[in-house]
Amino acid sequence: MNLKNIIKKTILVLDNIEGHLCKALLSFFVILLFVQVLMRTVFQSSLAWSEECSRFSFVWFAFLGASYAARLGAHNRVVFQFRFFPPAVGIGFQIFADAIWIVFNSIMTVKSIETIQGMIRYPFNSPAMDVPMHYIYMLFPVTFTLMNIRIIQTNILKYVLKRELKDVDDISSEMEDIKHDMKVEQENQGRSA
Amino acid sequence: MISSVLFGAFGLLLVIGAPIAVALGMAAMAAFISIDKDVTTMVQIAYNSVNSFPVMALPAFILSGALMQGSGISRRLVEIAEVLAGRMAGGLATSTVLACLFFGAISGSGPATTAAVGMLMIPAMVKRGYDSGYASAVTASSGGLGIVIPPSIPMVIYGVTASESITKLFIAGVLPGIVIASGIIGMNYVISRKKGYKSHADDWSFKKVFFKIKEGFWALMAPVVILGGIYSGLFTPTEAAIVSIFYTLFVGIFIYRELKLKSIFKSLDSTTWLSGRVLIILFTAQAFGRLLVQYKIPDAIAAWLLAVTGNVFIIWAIIIIFLIMIGMFMETLATIMLVTPVLLPVMTSLGVDPIHFGVVLVMCCEIGFETPPLGENLFIASGIGKVTIEEISVKALPFSVVEIASVFLVAYIPSLTLWLPKVFGY
């Protein structure tokens, strides 16, 4: 392994770090909840910590997922009004809107750090697992800062490096997968026969 | 004063193309600052908005719907619907509506329903001599049934935003879904007779129906497991979604042997960003909604409405038209999270049941799927049928009329939504 490949790999992993973490968290709390359902319905006993543990992973999953969505440029915007103007107008306004978004995230980061400082001063722990709550709240400064990085990153990718970002909502790119899953080709042959 | 800060900032940010989540969040933040209130409250709201067990139904239902496609369950359900409605005029189009109905019972998403059903049914209808514009229009129109027929992701979001029982909403949605489906089937029958779209009865037999049902037994059991589990009270909606994920994994891996590791990863991936962007709107919409309620803005709207007219029927009409207009321009889940805190207190103060309002709201969003400029179902159907959006939307007009009529019917007859939950003891 040469150094160049390792760096390349690392960058690729870091570029999708929220995605990887989210998939892990999602799988984790889905499995945990299933175990909980099994315990309750089959073995008639419930685990006290599992509900809380799955909820905490879900909270992290939710906000990391929002950052992942920012990396993909997937957050819903109303854009049909820009059709009536030259493209530059729409681009200009959206960059300005993203700047406001960064302001919002920065305020949220500062305020959540204040909240966490308060929690460290007057600590309280979660009822079932006895985890200090400020560890859970760390998610806010982390994810809102990450989101800012992603906003700047996607704007640079789009307008400086002129890369085309894939529109994740455009289902036409998914059509091939759906076609495969629904076995369209074979089906049609079967029908004509 | 505070309402002008809230709505002014929100409208301005929306127009300059800010994400809906940011428009709501920044407006709320500006309002907090304008009244000298500590913005730290927003951190608490952010945490509380997602720290809840019912909200976890959202990623769970998205994931189970995505997995069903890769596991072969979706395909078998559509095939069963295809053989069921053989003998009527326009039989294949009727099958399409039935397929959307079945599909709606496992998936909570309109566009996913249109894509999966359309892939199989539009080419089949064209082969049978249907006009491809009409075939696409029927599919786009009935694809929205996916969000009215439970389980429904928009209903989960409404239940969370309005603090109403999701189980009760799931039961309440059944009859309205059947009302719309019968409306579309009836309209299709009339049009098909006029255009001479024949049934496909030539190769239809009980044996074939029986064979398809036998082949799709495990697929048919999926809605039974999900809805039966919820309705019997055995599972909460979140638990039912979790169970259906594992049911799908089991059937897809061990029985149908179609589910690949690659599509499991893809399902996890799309669940991640879809949930992420919805849940952050959930947070900012709750901050926005809390200010609205604190400053009694819905009361002002209700007073204004009552000054215009005291007739509940006319108020419903105003609300429905307003909701359909918003649904035409805004994404469904965002619409629900935005209008619920504003309109639900208005409607309850007029004596409307929150469950009833929720079902009408979801039905209005359903119409947004098949109307330009944002109608997602139109874009999907036009991609599959190779027809222009304009042609599909014109040919979908009769169906839109039927659906709008169904919305009014459901709004004006509260027992259509409220009777079934009562029977189930809710």
Side-chain angles (χ1 to χ4, degrees), chain B residues 160-214:
Chain B
V160 168
T161 323
S163 319
E164 287 297 324
S165 152
I166 296 170
T167 304
K168 198 172 167 189
L169 279 162
F170 278 5
I171 302 174
V174 172
L175 286 182
I178 293 173
V179 167
I180 302 186
S182 349
I184 298 175
I185 289 175
M187 181 54 87
N188 165 58
Y189 183 75
V190 173
I191 296 177
S192 296
R193 278 196 65 162
K194 214 170 77 191
K195 299 238 168 155
Y197 296 145
K198 295 257 165 41
S199 65
H200 53 290
D202 36 319
D203 55 350
W204 189 88
S205 66
F206 271 112
K207 217 175 122 197
K208 209 173 166 189
V209 174
F210 178 75
F211 176 71
K212 278 286 175 199
I213 289 181
K214 200 180 135 221

Side-chain angles (χ1 to χ4, degrees), chain A residues 115-129:
Chain A
T115 310
I116 290 168
Q117 282 168 341
M119 287 174 147
I120 294 173
R121 235 171 293 138
Y122 307 102
F124 74 100
N125 293 5
S126 74
M129 289 194 304

Side-chain angles (χ1 to χ4, degrees), chain A residues 22-23 34 40 55-56 58 68 74 76-77 81 101 115 133 137 169 171 175 177 181-182 187 191, chain B residues 15 17 20 22 40 44 47 50-51 69 75 79 82 116 119 234 239 246 266 269 272 277 380:
Chain A
C22 277
K23 270 176 266 189
F34 185 61
R40 188 174 60 78
R55 243 187 313 112
F56 288 162
F58 173 64
Y68 185 47
N76 303 101
R77 305 162 188 259
Q81 70 274 27
W101 189 3
T115 310
M133 283 307 287
Y137 271 67
D169 279 306
I171 199 156
M175 286 298 189
D177 281 338
D181 289 335
M182 301 300 279
E187 268 305 305
R191 270 196 201 98
Chain B
V15 168
I20 295 169
V22 179
T40 321
Q44 263 332 310
Y47 183 74
V50 286
N51 180 35
Q69 190 189 303
R75 177 166 54 85
E79 284 174 2
E82 198 183 347
M119 274 295 175
L234 185 62
E239 289 172 337
F246 284 89
K266 243 200 97 195
D269 193 61
T272 294
R277 78 171 181 195
I380 295 164

Side-chain angles (χ1 to χ4, degrees), chain B residues 240-286:
Chain B
I242 298 285
V243 170
S244 94
I245 289 172
F246 284 89
Y247 180 82
T248 309
L249 286 173
F250 181 77
V251 173
I253 295 172
F254 297 110
I255 299 179
Y256 292 154
R257 295 165 192 243
E258 286 180 24
L259 195 58
K260 300 276 179 314
L261 203 59
K262 196 182 140 216
S263 49
I264 297 179
F265 268 104
K266 243 200 97 195
S267 308
L268 286 172
D269 193 61
S270 54
T271 307
T272 294
W273 61 260
L274 266 167
S275 311
R277 78 171 181 195
V278 172
L279 293 168
I280 196 165
I281 304 181
L282 190 68
F283 144 48
T284 56
Q286 270 181 21

Side-chain angles (χ1 to χ4, degrees), chain B residues 101-123:
Chain B
L101 205 72
F102 285 175
F103 206 86
I106 56 161
S107 147
S109 147
T113 308
T114 312
V117 175
M119 274 295 175
L120 283 180
M121 297 307 277
I122 294 177

